[in-house]
Every structure is written in C-alpha cells, then in structure tokens.
Amino acid sequence: MPQNGVRGALVGRPARSGRAGPPPVRANAGLPGLDHLGLDPDDLPDGLVVADENGRVICFNAAAARVTALRAADVLGRPVDQALPLEDLEGRRWWQLTDPYGGLAIRVGQPERNLLLPGGREVLVAARYVRQRPGGPLRRLVVTLRGTEARRRTERSHAELIATVAHELRSPLTSVKGFTATLLAKWERFTEDQKKLMLQTVDADANRVTRLIAELLDISRIDSGRLEVRRQPVDMPAALRRHVDGHVAAGQPADRFTLKVRGPLPPLWADPDKVDQILGNLLENAVRHGEGTVTIEVAPAPATGGERTHTNPAAAPGTAVTVSDEGPGIPEESMGRVFTRFWRGSKRGGTGLGLYIVKGIVEAHGGTISVGRAPGGGAQFRFILPVGAPSFLS
C-alpha cells in the first residue's frame, strides 16, 4: 500500500480505540463525482480530506500529505479530529469550535482560515458540509488544505509595495516641507527669482507625489480587475507626436526621436488617457535608460485569427507601436521579469511600477505587449491594441 499518497490506500484497519472501522474501501470511495469525471483525488492541486458520516477519514490525497507532512497510512480510517488536530492562532481546538457533526444542521461549511497543526505548521483550511438533505445529518465532511506560501508571497509583495511607496514619498514630501517652511519663515529675505525657483521645486515635487498616488490607484484597479477602459477614437500618430514634442520642449534634442508611420492605420477605439499613460511610460524609459536615437514605429497589426467577439477582441486588426533605443538593452535573463512589480532596469530612480501598469492597461484593452532587443542593440517594446469598439457598444 502506498505510504505517501492515496492511490490504492485502504480504509478499514482498526482504529486506535480498538473498535473496528468501516469495511475496506478505496481512498476515493464515496466520491462518485470524481469517478464520473475520470479524476483521482491525487489529480487535485489542493489538499483534499473527506470524512464519512461517522467522522472517519476516507480520503486523503497526495496534496494533503504534502501540505500537512502526514502519511496517508497514518490518517485514513482515523477520526478526523484526531488525524488532523487543528488549532486556531489562539490555541483553541478548531474541531471543538466548529463541531461539524453536532452543531447547527443549517450550516453548510466553514470559510478558509489560517490554522495550525502540531509543531506549528500553518495551513489554510476550509470545510464543506455535505448533508443528505437540507437540515439533515452530515453525510460527508469535505476539507480542503492549502499551504501558506502563496499568501506569504502576497504579504511580502504588499510589504515591498509599502516600503517602496514610503521611500518614494519621503523625498518629495521632505522637499515640500523644507521649502514651504523656509519661505514662511524668511519670505522677505529672498529675491523674486529665489522664491520662484523654490515654488517651482515644490510644484514639481507635488506632481511627483500625485503621479505616485495615481500609480498606486492603477495597481489596485489592475489587481482587482476594476480598471475601466473608456473607448474613444484615438489618433495614435498624433498622440506620439505630442509626447515627442513634450520631450523636446523639456530639453531633449529633436533629432534624438524618429517617428515612422507605416501604411494606413485602422480606426482605433481606446481610452485616450490610458494610451497617453502607455506612451509616456515607454518613451520616458527609452529617454532615461536608453541611449542614442529613440525610434517609434506605428503600423497596422494583422488579426490574430479566430472570430472576433467581445471576449476575443484581438481577433480583429489593430495598431502596433514599437519603441526602440540604442542603449545597452535589457539582459536576456531579465526579460521575463520586466513587467513585474518593482523591476528596475537601472539605478536611475523610479518606483519599478510603470511597466507593470503599462502591461495591465494594454491587457485591459484586449491587447498584448512584449519586450526584446532592438536592431541597434537597445531595448525594444512593442504593444498591439485591437481596433476595439466604442464604450456604448461594448
């Protein structure tokens, strides 16, 4: 009989109390739904523990063995509260608190929560009560188990986000506080030019804080799937020219930018503000982290195949935009992490959130974005936005 899984494991050896258990059955006995689907409990990604009407474990899959570090042979056939002596974070016995077999018969289960096994091992546990009829006795107790690694990774990601935000806020807020306090205390001592310079610095730092808050709101909407796209006609070449003109006005040489428009472009319906956000981020990265000429190419993108529907907008033709520079480029080993949170291509500042947001915006439009190496050796970003449809037709 396997020692670490449930395939072929039998339930029915005498319990430790000396009383005989139920007749021998396979570990997935009583789970006709899985049999009907052609699945074995070991095929499930999460831990699965099933107890019968008497409270004895009749199913303990391989994922449950991995999460709990228990052997199926030591669990099958035992009372579930003895096989899994779970406690909450305050040390209270979970089975006594929930009392699945003797509690209220109107209950249907327990929500997922963090519990402890002996030795302090943390597991995420949820339970479902399967009854013969509503309000009737319990026929099956189904418990799912998951490790806490994914939750810890999420918590670490949130902690990193908080630390990054705190660091990025500290510098501009310190500057704003310092200049305003100085101006209030010594206004008469400064010339008009000095006052203007300090107020311009305060304004720039306030804009930096505003951008950071906007990034945080975008991340929240992207992660929760609530990023709204308000589609309107967008002239992509005109939008790109505006961004190039802005960089030139800020002091970049005009001959550093090359804009190429290839062929007639299909009508593009997209969110103009979010398109500006995409273009601004990609061009800013090319200017700040790249070198040489920044080449921007706009071209029609062919349909990706399939029938165009509201769930498959990319099956329609679209507009492709490619932004390339002649800098050192992105190392091959880093390309898979470019669109993750906090990735930074250099030590030249930034929160490391911009490309993560760009990817979220492009995908919210039903498009795709990729990164590669430009012909000149620098970084090359290419995104495709499908033609789309106006918001009132979506």
Side-chain angles (χ1 to χ4, degrees):
M1 179 172 68
Q3 298 297 307
N4 296 320
V6 297
R7 279 194 175 91
L10 299 177
V11 181
R13 66 182 185 280
R16 292 191 178 182
S17 62
R19 294 178 296 176
V25 293
R26 293 182 67 83
N28 62 348
L31 303 177
L34 292 181
D35 290 340
H36 176 71
L37 295 172
L39 291 175
D40 187 279
D42 281 355
D43 297 327
L44 302 177
D46 292 336
L48 176 68
V49 182
V50 181
D52 63 12
E53 63 273 12
N54 298 314
R56 293 185 178 274
V57 179
I58 61 172
C59 176
F60 190 82
N61 72 350
R66 184 179 65 253
V67 170
T68 62
L70 298 173
R71 299 190 311 164
D74 297 331
V75 174
L76 291 169
R78 295 183 60 194
V80 67
D81 58 339
Q82 296 179 19
L84 294 174
L86 297 165
E87 296 182 352
D88 64 15
L89 300 181
E90 298 178 4
R92 298 174 298 184
R93 297 184 181 277
W94 189 64
W95 296 112
Q96 293 180 2
L97 290 174
T98 58
D99 193 13
Y101 289 92
L104 291 174
I106 59 173
R107 296 175 305 166
V108 295
Q110 295 292 330
E112 186 175 70
R113 62 191 64 196
N114 199 359
L115 299 176
L116 300 175
L117 285 167
R121 178 182 286 265
E122 295 185 26
V123 289
L124 297 174
V125 182
R128 179 76 176 179
Y129 302 158
V130 181
R131 303 183 183 278
Q132 294 178 350
R133 62 182 184 280
L138 204 63
R139 183 171 65 87
R140 291 287 186 269
L141 171 63
V142 182
V143 179
T144 59
L145 305 172
R146 294 194 299 128
T148 57
E149 294 81 7
R151 176 171 290 186
R152 286 177 179 172
R153 284 195 298 270
T154 301
E155 291 173 350
R156 282 197 298 270
S157 177
H158 289 164
E160 290 174 358
L161 179 61
I162 292 170
T164 299
V165 170
H167 175 76
E168 292 294 326
L169 284 174
R170 184 182 297 116
S171 177
L173 289 179
T174 300
S175 172
V176 169
K177 176 63 178 175
F179 279 119
T180 53
T182 301
L183 286 171
L184 287 172
K186 303 177 181 180
W187 179 265
E188 297 82 3
R189 300 185 186 181
F190 295 109
T191 66
E192 291 301 317
D193 288 341
Q194 289 173 327
K195 293 174 183 176
K196 183 178 180 180
L197 177 61
M198 284 190 275
L199 288 174
Q200 287 174 338
T201 304
V202 168
D203 183 62
D205 286 332
N207 288 336
R208 182 177 166 188
V209 172
T210 301
R211 285 195 301 270
L212 179 59
I213 292 173
E215 286 183 348
L216 295 175
L217 291 174
D218 286 336
I219 287 175
S220 173
R221 295 186 184 109
I222 289 169
D223 288 347
S224 62
R226 294 185 292 107
L227 187 66
E228 293 187 6
V229 175
R230 303 183 183 276
R231 297 183 185 271
Q232 301 175 33
V234 172
D235 186 338
M236 187 65 78
L240 283 164
R241 291 188 188 99
R242 286 198 308 272
H243 282 273
V244 169
D245 291 343
H247 282 284
V248 172
Q252 292 292 330
D255 59 1
R256 188 177 179 188
F257 301 92
T258 300
L259 177 58
K260 302 176 181 178
V261 180
R262 301 192 181 279
L265 301 174
L268 176 63
W269 288 80
D271 190 314
D273 293 335
K274 291 182 172 55
V275 168
D276 278 337
Q277 198 170 348
I278 296 169
L279 299 178
N281 194 290
L282 295 182
L283 286 176
E284 178 68 24
N285 282 348
V287 169
R288 177 185 297 181
H289 304 293
E291 298 172 4
T293 302
V294 176
T295 303
I296 309 121
E297 181 177 317
V298 190
T304 58
E307 181 182 356
R308 182 190 177 196
T309 66
H310 70 283
T311 58
N312 187 24
T319 299
V321 178
T322 306
V323 179
S324 310
D325 63 69
E326 298 175 345
I330 298 170
E332 194 73 29
E333 63 273 14
S334 298
M335 287 188 179
R337 297 184 286 110
V338 165
F339 297 108
T340 60
R341 290 183 184 181
F342 311 120
W343 184 85
R344 293 180 177 89
S346 70
K347 298 181 180 179
R348 301 183 188 177
T351 61
L353 301 174
L355 290 175
Y356 176 81
I357 294 171
V358 165
K359 183 173 184 287
I361 293 173
V362 170
E363 291 180 346
H365 281 80
T368 59
I369 186 168
S370 60
V371 61
R373 186 164 294 280
Q380 181 181 83
F381 288 88
R382 174 182 169 87
F383 69 91
I384 299 175
L385 296 183
V387 169
S391 296
F392 61 85
L393 293 179
S394 299

